[in-house]
Amino acid sequence: MMETPAILLSCVAGLLATAAVAVAAGRSAAATRVVYCATLAISLLILGTVARHLLADASAISRLVLPVGLPWLGAHFRLDALSAFFLVVVNLGAAGASLYGLGYGRHETAPHRILPFLPAFLAGMNLVVLADDAFTFLLSWEFMSLASWALVLAHHRAEDNQRAGYVYLVMASFGTLTLLLAFGLMSGAEGGYAFDAIRAAGHPPLLAALVLGLMLAGAGSKAGLVPLHVWLPLAHPAAPSHVSALMSGVMTKVAVYAFIRVAFDLLGAPAWWMGMVVLVLGGLTATVGILHAMMEKDLKRLLAYSSIENIGVIFVGLGLALAFHANAMEQPAALALTAALFHVLNHSFFKSLLFFGAGAVLTATGERDMEKLGGLIHRMPFTSAVFLVGCVAISALPPFNGFVSEWLAFQAILQSPQLPQWGLKIIVPAVGGLLALSAALAAACFVKAYGVTFLGRPRGDAAADATEVDRYSRAAMAILALFCLLAGVLPGRVIDGLAPVTQTLLSARMPAQAEVGWQSIVPIAAAHSSYNGLLVFTFIAVSAALAAFAVHHLASRRVRRAPAWGCGFPATPAVTQYTASSFAQPIRRVFGAMVFRARETVDMPEPGSMRPARFTLRLRDLAWDGIYAPIAAGVGLAATRLNVLQFLTIRRYLTLVFLALVSLLLVLAIWS
Amino acid sequence: MPNFVIDIAHMLAGGLVLLSFMMLYQDRLYALINVFALHALVLTLSVAWQAYIQNAPHLYVTAAIALVFKTIVIPVALHKIIRRLGIHRDLETALGIGPTMLAGMALVALSMVLMLRVTPEADPLAREDLAFSLSVVLLGLLTMVTRRNAVSQVIGFMSLENGLVLAAAGAKGMPLVVEISVAFSILIAFIVIGVFLFRIRERFDTVDVSALDQFRGERR
């Protein structure tokens, strides 16, 4: 029987082969079906292989070295508990997206621009998670970035997509550069780039700090950490919806994997302030992300901004885990890390679900702007129901999964008074406050998203004529909704499943939840706090059923028809309904001036004039103005100046070479 | 090793540096080619002397290559080319003679300081030889940089290569294959550049490389 990594790599090879087939036959009619079936089957096969590995011995490590790549290095691959968990996340998302693509892909106008890159993208993500040396890791990382870049530019005629593709490419290269530097700094004795050699080499504190900063820039920019998040809400929505789901739900998680692998595994023991940096960044990311999402009226962009918020939540968990780990408080560290990883899993479920829902809305109406939608609950009842599940889950409401992971994160925050450093004692509750704020804003944001899109009356013909989507898309959404419910109702299983990961990284684990009765979960000890998702779910289900029964059977069954109260306007057109912008207005008033530099201008007609009044709203992204724009301007200036070098005479070029040589020799003469 | 053996090796290598300086201030093409031929001759002597004192017969082959190709074939070929093309025989320098000489002296000083400092443990013969050959290489580059004429750039390039051969001969145990391949690559480069010279001449009626720049539509 083959070794597990060998099977996994064969699966990756299968994905690449699928990509090659798609290049050759991308334009044929059957290609869509064949490619998505293939990716679905391969993702399920990888899931099965990983499941077998985990069931046999979850903390087992199996390796494989292939004689490809750099001649003295080879390509190292390794499957341990952490990579197995992320393989599950990646391939669950991939399987969902493939199933969804079977239906969604039929409406695609340019399938030959998507089909070759999707399997390649999946292969890249799987390889990043499996890689066990810096070279393979960076190569796979860049492969993943480029494949997803091609997918962002699938519909390259649109002006917005071109800009998104450009910004994404720049940020992806920047991220890879910082990762390259980080791995270069970490290299073990005699330039050992295998992760084992890096692990074995000790890292002095200054170097560890540098590496952490570079990782936060590199992995953080891919994940969407503020202030490097600007590309994300441009690029993720530009891709087709199932690819958006993969990028938002899965690729950001691969970035989280990279960060965990380096910060917890390769870098050795952390310093306490590292946790503080990660915590603060996470808290800021969560708040800024959800505030932007709140202001957004494009459904897919809203989802992309909300991904930034969730990444913030995950990084808060990771920062806490680092802080506890640095103080040798392994039990709370395991709790915080479990919360972060649980949220990784949850976010991949509900963000994929929500992007699928947005894709379904886009297919049915051709519209992403929420202010032109409305009333879809009557035309697309199934999509509405599953989208509601996603919204409730992402708003961290019980009994769904989002609640459990955020609750665990708060439980970890409550452990912070035991930390010895005063800095952490003060910062952690503040970050907890930010987290609570962002959780509340997330709920408001998704009330807005759901209410404006699905409730009320249609704001246009497109929304009025919508029809329900095909059965593959519905199946994919239903399965993910079911996962959201299952992970929320039976969280103990997931927590126990994560125990081998925390065991290998922190040599500690949360209390075994299987021993706790009635599917309750206990973060520290039963005396402190516990949560029972099953009980909450049963209570909600029973009370809702009772209420429905009471309403339908005990109340008067006589049908009355009466005019609805219309605020004094009897025949209101649909455009006078509450819109996304009006829903966000109170929150914009509170935070807008500070976070967005919001400028509202009202242009009132003079008395007697018949023209309509105009209200314009301008929002600015401070990260764009403060960081991206100056850097872009600086690079542009330098490029213009250096452009002269392109038009020198031959003799001048020779002179340049000569001067370079002489100055190098001078440096050598002075320094040696 | 008797002192005078080293002295002769140094004298020949120093002569090479001196001839490089001579190349710097030539403003006639024929004179430049003649100096180059002399340069190659001194190189031949130097390599032959190295072969003698190191007891390395294969170095005689290198010396023979230098004598046949660099001292005779290439200068004669260059003379012919100049006559056939009717090239202007005076050279336009980009930098005045005085500053060029000063720059050359600075380069020699630099290579001396550098080589003496980075190779304290090396054999004194090889050490000084390396310093001289680095000077020759740098002076060759300087010759290429300060001339606007394509033929003089070719000659600068080949005098640079002479410096490389000097270094290779001075270092003991350099395999013959390396030297021969260097020699042949230079020959090939000479042929390629010669062909280009003809082409440039056909098209622009001059071998002043600034004509190329004008053709590209650039200012000087």
Side-chain angles (χ1 to χ4, degrees):
Chain A
M1 197 156 79
M2 273 164 91
E3 287 283 318
T4 312
I7 303 178
L8 294 176
L9 287 180
S10 321
C11 291
V12 171
L15 285 173
L16 292 175
T18 314
V21 169
V23 169
R27 287 167 197 271
S28 72
T32 303
R33 184 172 285 267
V34 170
V35 168
Y36 287 124
C37 279
T39 52
L40 178 63
I42 294 174
S43 308
L44 291 177
L45 184 60
I46 297 179
L47 279 176
T49 314
V50 174
R52 200 195 65 179
H53 170 84
L54 288 178
L55 288 178
D57 179 6
S59 50
I61 294 174
S62 46
R63 303 155 187 278
L64 183 73
V65 181
L66 291 184
V68 293
L70 293 183
W72 62 92
L73 188 61
H76 297 247
F77 297 97
R78 191 172 98 130
L79 183 68
D80 61 2
L82 182 65
S83 46
F85 168 69
F86 275 92
L87 273 181
V88 169
V89 172
V90 168
N91 288 290
L92 273 177
S98 307
L99 184 59
Y100 183 79
L102 274 174
Y104 184 79
R106 273 189 238 154
H107 311 290
E108 185 54 59
T109 48
H112 56 281
R113 297 183 141 272
I114 296 171
L115 295 180
F117 300 113
L118 189 88
F121 179 41
L122 297 178
M125 291 196 288
N126 277 311
L127 281 177
V128 169
V129 178
L130 282 171
D132 195 34
D133 66 75
F135 182 73
T136 314
F137 182 92
L138 287 171
L139 198 68
S140 320
W141 181 273
E142 195 62 5
F143 192 73
M144 168 183 90
S145 298
L146 286 179
S148 58
W149 173 75
L151 288 167
V152 166
L153 279 183
H155 300 147
H156 63 123
R157 301 256 180 246
E159 193 102 350
D160 285 353
N161 291 4
Q162 287 174 13
R163 176 159 178 268
Y166 175 69
V167 177
Y168 179 34
L169 191 64
V170 170
M171 287 310 291
S173 344
F174 166 76
T176 311
L177 175 70
T178 54
L179 289 184
L180 184 75
L181 294 176
F183 281 114
L185 285 177
M186 280 192 296
S187 68
E190 287 151 16
Y193 284 107
F195 283 177
D196 281 336
I198 294 180
R199 229 174 257 129
H203 303 289
L206 185 68
L207 191 129
L210 255 174
V211 169
L212 188 86
L214 288 169
M215 284 308 292
L216 279 175
S221 75
K222 182 67 86 194
L225 270 189
V226 169
L228 298 172
H229 66 283
V230 175
W231 66 273
L232 194 145
L234 298 173
H236 285 191
S241 294
H242 55 307
V243 179
S244 307
L246 279 176
M247 289 179 74
S248 238
V250 179
M251 191 173 71
T252 53
K253 307 304 171 300
V254 175
V256 170
Y257 164 80
F259 183 78
I260 296 178
R261 176 62 79 196
V262 171
F264 286 86
D265 188 9
L266 300 184
L267 212 47
W272 65 270
W273 54 264
M274 290 186 183
M276 193 154 97
V277 172
V278 178
L279 259 174
V280 171
L281 276 178
L284 280 180
T285 304
T287 320
V288 172
I290 200 64
L291 277 174
H292 274 288
M294 190 74 209
M295 299 304 127
E296 202 50 64
K297 56 184 185 177
D298 178 320
L299 191 54
K300 284 178 80 175
R301 281 177 63 107
L302 180 146
L303 293 176
Y305 272 122
S306 134
S307 289
I308 297 176
E309 184 242 338
N310 284 283
I311 287 296
V313 174
I314 292 167
F315 270 84
V316 166
L318 295 179
L320 273 174
L322 274 177
F324 286 124
H325 184 42
N327 287 304
M329 298 164 66
E330 305 299 358
Q331 198 66 37
L335 170 61
L337 187 60
T338 308
L341 292 175
F342 202 160
H343 203 72
V344 162
L345 185 70
N346 291 342
H347 184 239
S348 80
F349 288 158
F350 48 63
K351 190 45 61 74
S352 299
L353 169 59
L354 290 170
F355 263 115
F356 291 169
V361 170
L362 188 60
T363 312
T365 64
E367 204 48 77
R368 273 162 48 176
D369 187 350
M370 285 191 277
E371 315 225 309
K372 296 189 177 132
L373 296 169
L376 291 178
I377 195 166
H378 300 295
R379 279 126 200 123
M380 309 171 72
F382 187 86
T383 306
S384 306
V386 287
F387 199 86
L388 181 63
V389 170
C391 287
V392 173
I394 203 170
S395 307
L397 293 178
F400 291 102
N401 53 356
F403 175 78
V404 183
S405 48
E406 294 214 16
W407 183 75
L408 287 177
F410 280 111
Q411 292 300 320
I413 286 174
L414 291 179
Q415 303 296 315
S416 66
Q418 300 173 21
L419 284 165
Q421 291 89 3
W422 275 101
L424 282 171
K425 276 190 204 208
I426 294 168
I427 283 289
V428 173
V431 171
L434 283 180
L435 207 58
L437 173 68
S438 61
L441 286 174
C445 176
F446 281 92
V447 166
K448 176 186 95 168
Y450 192 78
V452 176
T453 312
F454 290 96
L455 305 183
R457 283 180 292 152
R459 293 182 178 80
D461 290 341
D465 299 338
T467 49
E468 188 59 272
V469 287
D470 57 278
R471 62 177 192 278
Y472 292 111
S473 306
R474 277 183 288 163
M477 291 190 281
I479 291 171
L480 283 173
L482 188 68
F483 278 146
C484 284
L485 184 65
L486 279 181
V489 172
L490 305 171
R493 301 299 165 85
V494 181
I495 293 173
D496 283 348
L498 290 171
V501 182
T502 57
Q503 194 75 52
T504 45
L505 293 180
L506 304 169
S507 46
R509 51 165 295 171
M510 279 178 63
Q513 308 295 329
E515 295 160 11
V516 184
W518 297 101
Q519 306 297 340
S520 281
I521 55 168
V522 175
I524 303 289
H528 282 249
S529 52
S530 65
Y531 166 73
N532 190 324
L534 190 60
L535 192 66
V536 173
F537 175 60
T538 318
F539 174 74
I540 291 175
V542 169
S543 55
L546 277 178
F549 177 82
V551 168
H552 281 279
H553 292 268
L554 303 182
S556 163
R557 308 187 71 177
R558 196 168 60 85
V559 176
R560 290 177 299 146
R561 287 199 179 275
W565 183 65
C567 304
F569 293 96
T572 48
V575 286
T576 58
Q577 293 177 98
Y578 227 49
T579 61
S581 310
S582 45
F583 191 90
Q585 193 252 12
I587 292 171
R588 195 177 65 230
R589 283 280 163 86
V590 177
F591 295 100
M594 195 174 60
V595 184
F596 306 107
R597 296 247 183 85
R599 295 271 177 282
E600 298 177 6
T601 41
V602 182
D603 174 24
M604 287 299 280
E606 54 278 13
S609 164
M610 295 297 282
R611 72 186 173 88
R614 297 201 74 82
F615 171 80
T616 35
L617 171 66
R618 238 186 260 116
L619 299 177
R620 303 206 59 88
D621 190 332
L622 289 186
W624 182 270
D625 290 352
I627 295 176
Y628 283 61
I631 290 178
V635 169
L637 191 72
T640 319
R641 290 280 159 81
L642 289 178
N643 209 6
V644 177
L645 285 183
Q646 205 178 336
F647 304 107
L648 291 183
T649 61
I650 297 172
R651 205 175 52 78
R652 290 253 160 82
Y653 284 126
L654 279 175
T655 315
L656 277 183
V657 174
F658 179 62
L659 288 180
L661 178 67
V662 170
S663 48
L664 283 178
L665 289 177
L666 268 177
V667 168
L668 197 62
I670 292 167
W671 274 18
S672 63
Chain B
M1 206 184 295
N3 246 351
F4 94 101
V5 170
I6 298 182
D7 286 345
I8 289 181
H10 282 172
M11 186 193 77
L12 290 171
L16 217 52
V17 177
L18 196 66
L19 285 166
S20 290
F21 269 108
M22 282 174 70
M23 260 187 247
L24 276 182
Y25 67 78
Q26 298 304 324
D27 55 358
R28 302 274 166 196
L29 262 184
Y30 282 146
L32 185 64
I33 294 171
N34 292 342
V35 174
F36 172 70
L38 199 57
H39 198 263
L41 184 66
V42 174
L43 176 78
T44 309
L45 291 178
S46 174
V47 173
W49 185 251
Q50 290 284 353
Y52 170 66
I53 60 177
Q54 288 179 24
N55 234 341
H58 68 265
L59 280 182
Y60 286 118
V61 180
T62 314
I65 292 174
L67 183 69
V68 173
F69 283 109
K70 291 192 188 140
T71 319
I72 300 166
V73 176
I74 291 179
V76 169
L78 279 175
H79 271 281
K80 271 193 179 162
I81 288 176
I82 290 169
R83 219 171 303 135
R84 272 187 51 196
L85 297 182
I87 295 173
H88 248 339
R89 298 199 198 141
D90 53 340
L91 292 173
E92 208 185 328
T93 51
L95 202 60
I97 298 288
T100 315
M101 298 300 280
L102 283 178
M105 281 181 227
L107 288 177
V108 173
L110 171 68
S111 50
M112 290 291 170
V113 169
L114 186 70
M115 275 303 160
L116 297 186
R117 197 176 289 182
V118 294
T119 55
E121 296 99 29
D123 164 28
L125 176 64
R127 203 174 156 200
E128 311 253 320
D129 244 12
L130 278 177
F132 282 128
S133 52
L134 184 62
S135 314
V136 173
V137 167
L138 290 178
L139 288 174
L141 265 174
L142 188 65
T143 316
M144 287 177 82
V145 167
T146 52
R147 301 301 157 92
R148 292 193 201 281
N149 184 297
V151 176
S152 58
Q153 287 183 353
V154 174
I155 289 178
F157 180 62
M158 287 192 296
S159 75
L160 181 158
E161 195 269 341
N162 284 353
L164 290 181
V165 172
L166 181 67
K172 279 177 199 161
M174 171 78 83
L176 181 64
V177 184
V178 176
E179 289 170 32
I180 290 184
S181 60
V182 168
F184 272 95
S185 64
I186 291 301
L187 200 64
I188 303 277
F190 169 72
I191 292 168
V192 171
I193 294 173
V195 170
F196 267 105
L197 273 181
F198 277 102
R199 292 272 158 221
I200 295 171
R201 173 67 215 297
E202 273 171 24
R203 200 165 269 287
F204 300 108
D205 283 336
T206 173
V207 286
D208 190 332
V209 286
S210 57
L212 287 180
D213 305 326
Q214 279 164 13
F215 177 67
R216 290 200 312 177
E218 313 298 339
R219 65 203 136 69
R220 273 221 197 140

